[in-house]
Amino acid sequence: MAGLTWGVTLAAPPISAQEAEFPVDYDAAIAQSGMDGSYGYIRTLEGSATLIQVDTRERVELSVNEPILAGDRLFASGKSRIEIVLADGNIVRVGDRAEVLFRALANSGDTSDPGSVVELARGTLQLVVSPDQPGSEFPAVVTPNATIRARGAGSFLIAADDGRRSEVIVRDGVAEVTTPNEVAEVRRGERLFVEGARGDRLDFAAAPDLGRLEAWGLGLGDYAGAEYAAHVDPDLHYAASSLSGHGSWVRVETGVAWRPRVSSGWAPYRDGRWRHTPSGLFWVSYEPWGWVPYHYGYWDLDPSWGWVWFPGRRFAGAHVYWYWGSSYAGWIPSGYYWRHYRNQYGNGWGFHFGVYGHIGGSFGRYRHWTFLPQGRLGHRRQYFYSVGGADLGRGRRAIERGVLLTDTRSLGREAWRRPAETLATLRRAVPRDGRSEVDANGFIDRGARLPQGIERVALRGRDGRSAVARRPEASTRASPVAASGGRPVRATIRPLEGRSPRVQRPGVQRPTRPPTESGGRQGLRAPAARDVGGASSRPIVSWPSTSWIWPRGTTGRPRARPPFNQRPGFQPGTKRPAVRPTTTRPARPTVGRGAIPRSGGTARRSGGASRSGGAVRRSGGTSRSTGVARARGRSGG
């Protein structure tokens, strides 16, 4: 198996779903850092829209990966198209100047609603109901004069012109339409008009051709099936389709991980902003693929590949460790420590959730962290003010004494405004070991064994006892766990024979120089990453670099390049070249989105006298022409 794993890149064999190795029982190890349920989010956005957040009442520009909370209100512009994946797995697509209020959200991390309820004040909305949903009730859409509730899985198009007219089209499934005076059942292929402020008149007709919003939604589904199906949990296949074209699967020491195509100096949880939710600080990524990798699974810094993501099933607002000081806050992906200590202690333990202890000191232990003044947390351009630990250390002697924690529910906007008071509160929550407060620097240092004080605070044995470090030879390799079913895939393998793993600069995603047969070094070449079988045909593009961000205190000029004799690859005795060698770069591919089929026009409405060939039986007794759509008067209505 070792020969196969570390073979030459060009001869990398296919890795089937059964051969893919995962970190062992990762979700059980971090169970306390996740949450029950999840959050809905903006998956796709074309055009512009705004969102009034329920917690701050602030109107913000909508962006992809924005979480949706119960009480949020969304406004779409005239030509916008927006797709929202709800926490219960159902899909809502809106357009045509729609105004939508998310009144209740099932399976959301901060509510206990039995079913999702979406209020459509005006515009057009498509509801796609999944057959497997965790809520006890099917979702409903409320218009000014009717309530439309799905009776099961299906697809429903709903429009509201004003307070006196609504329209329901059923493409698949059955919908129950309720007004103050009527209850009607609309089935597949039917269309129902609800007239009047109290829904006094119900008119049936045959369903028209697909509208523009529905055709747009069909085009989105074309991307929902690719190579990640062999690695990602089946419930996340649709959400994880955004990974396609933005990275590749690579084999690392303990299995297969996803490596994004990013620029030099990139780090996870840096290109985006923090938003406070009832479940704690929530990461809103500005990267198009940034929903699943930041809320499921974990990131770790591999010596050869840089930052890579390991899939998981446990949802959280963000899988990070936090530093809170009096001047700035810092964070780092939790996997940077989880994976390290899992190798030391084995898989019979987990991590506690809360405050760990005091940290600070040398900048060397924080070089992979991201830091930011607390006043900039949640800023729309937060990424502009964020810096890495190595940059923050320039001109400073050490990190000021602060607190290491994982629970951020208390770090709301008031905490951002008064960081010193928040730090004093957190210090009172630091556990004590006898007479002294716990020092968590030993945890940050990633040693072979945790100090006894922090070990009792950070680790929790599944049997309730303290975790015990296992023998060094037992931590060399984790046992494989078979992944869920899926098509065969290929992963890039980086050769390690004949050399020691290189320790690269923090966050640098660079290829290695494999040795030649003569013992010399070849020219620098990128690794030949093989395409994963069944991948999407969308163009492969790189997300824009954020490495131009300058540390605080600069005067507007970019960082100076290091001296020639301090650059990577410098060997004593060499001279500075007189002319800088030039390289020919391939032309950048034109980024474009495939044309999405759309219907020829808007939905046609039938005349007031037209019926779909069926009677609407009312409690008054008047009979109309025969058909499947029926309405029955409410008793006493």
Side-chain angles (χ1 to χ4, degrees), residues 160-181:
D161 291 343
D162 49 40
R164 301 179 59 86
R165 183 181 178 90
S166 299
E167 176 186 353
V168 181
I169 300 175
V170 177
R171 301 296 183 185
D172 192 17
V174 179
E176 182 180 83
V177 180
T178 305
T179 71
N181 300 318

Side-chain angles (χ1 to χ4, degrees), residues 12-23:
I15 301 175
S16 67
Q18 288 72 27
E19 294 173 327
E21 301 171 12
F22 282 85

Side-chain angles (χ1 to χ4, degrees), residues 214-235:
E214 294 172 298
W216 177 77
L218 289 178
L220 297 179
D222 294 342
Y223 301 136
E227 76 278 6
Y228 43 78
H231 302 287
V232 180
D233 185 76
D235 293 338

Side-chain angles (χ1 to χ4, degrees), residues 173-248:
V174 179
E176 182 180 83
V177 180
T178 305
T179 71
N181 300 318
E182 304 279 355
V183 177
E185 187 178 83
V186 187
R187 299 184 180 180
R188 179 178 181 179
E190 294 182 341
R191 179 185 200 178
L192 173 65
F193 295 103
V194 182
E195 307 283 354
R198 296 178 58 83
D200 302 320
R201 180 180 175 184
L202 304 181
D203 293 332
F204 284 85
D209 296 335
L210 292 180
R212 288 175 292 183
L213 181 63
E214 294 172 298
W216 177 77
L218 289 178
L220 297 179
D222 294 342
Y223 301 136
E227 76 278 6
Y228 43 78
H231 302 287
V232 180
D233 185 76
D235 293 338
L236 299 175
H237 282 179
Y238 189 74
S241 61
S242 59
L243 299 178
S244 183
H246 294 286
S248 58

